[in-house]
Amino acid sequence: MEVHLKRIVIVLIVIALAFGVKLYLNKASSGTAIDEIERKRGSIGELLEEREVRDGEVVFYMRQEGERAPVLSADYVNKSFLGWKWAVGGGHSLPAASGNETAWSFQYMDATKGSFFNHSPFPLVFGTVNNPAITAVTIKSVKTGQETIADLITSKSNITLWYAFIEEEQGKAFDLTGLAKSGETVSKKHIFDSE
């Protein structure tokens, strides 16, 4: 009888500990990817795209911080049985357009394999282009010559987001080409990050 009672007490303690850990971990995560980003980084402002990836989402958004230029951000949020947990992200200020010149913004986000973040869907190249005549963007790796067609999203504020998940072997230098609906080249931009 005494052994049976000890087993019951041990089982109840284990259940109580598991319940306590679950409650603690739930406080450290959120019910949606957007809620988790806002919990970690503040209000997202304008949501541009929620892209489902393995084990989560990459969320693209733009926010205005006071008088400064708008900031374009991309955050990877991991989904688990406990909820959504912010993993890694970054952003950059958008350039001011001058005259009829096409203004490009860009950012390269490194692969995270082997790091604390381990399994993000990066590398990722993303940015904006302000020319409404551009209906497609190609990203050509300087290192490998491989060409990728970017996904394009036009925001409510008429800013065009372009992005592409790429292979790490493509390097960090790219030639961007903005194409019109006819296929004609509208603008080109060479972007690079030190290798």
Side-chain angles (χ1 to χ4, degrees), residues 44-55:
I44 66 164
E46 184 181 356
L47 175 64
L48 302 176
E49 172 88 328
E50 287 181 84
R51 172 73 183 265
E52 284 189 33
V53 293
R54 182 182 55 109
D55 297 330

Side-chain angles (χ1 to χ4, degrees), residues 21-61:
V21 168
K22 171 85 168 126
L23 283 176
Y24 171 77
L25 291 175
N26 275 347
K27 288 183 180 180
S29 64
S30 298
T32 68
I34 301 300
D35 289 344
E36 178 63 6
I37 292 170
E38 289 185 332
R39 186 177 78 81
K40 293 295 270 185
R41 297 171 58 88
S43 174
I44 66 164
E46 184 181 356
L47 175 64
L48 302 176
E49 172 88 328
E50 287 181 84
R51 172 73 183 265
E52 284 189 33
V53 293
R54 182 182 55 109
D55 297 330
E57 283 186 359
V58 174
V59 179
F60 297 91
Y61 59 96

Side-chain angles (χ1 to χ4, degrees), residues 131-137 152 178-186:
N131 190 329
I134 294 175
T135 61
V137 171
L152 265 61
L179 302 170
K181 196 173 193 175
S182 65
E184 177 185 341
T185 298
V186 175

Side-chain angles (χ1 to χ4, degrees), residues 59-73:
V59 179
F60 297 91
Y61 59 96
M62 194 165 37
R63 64 177 167 226
Q64 184 73 43
E65 297 178 358
E67 297 293 317
R68 294 185 283 177
V71 175
L72 173 65
S73 296

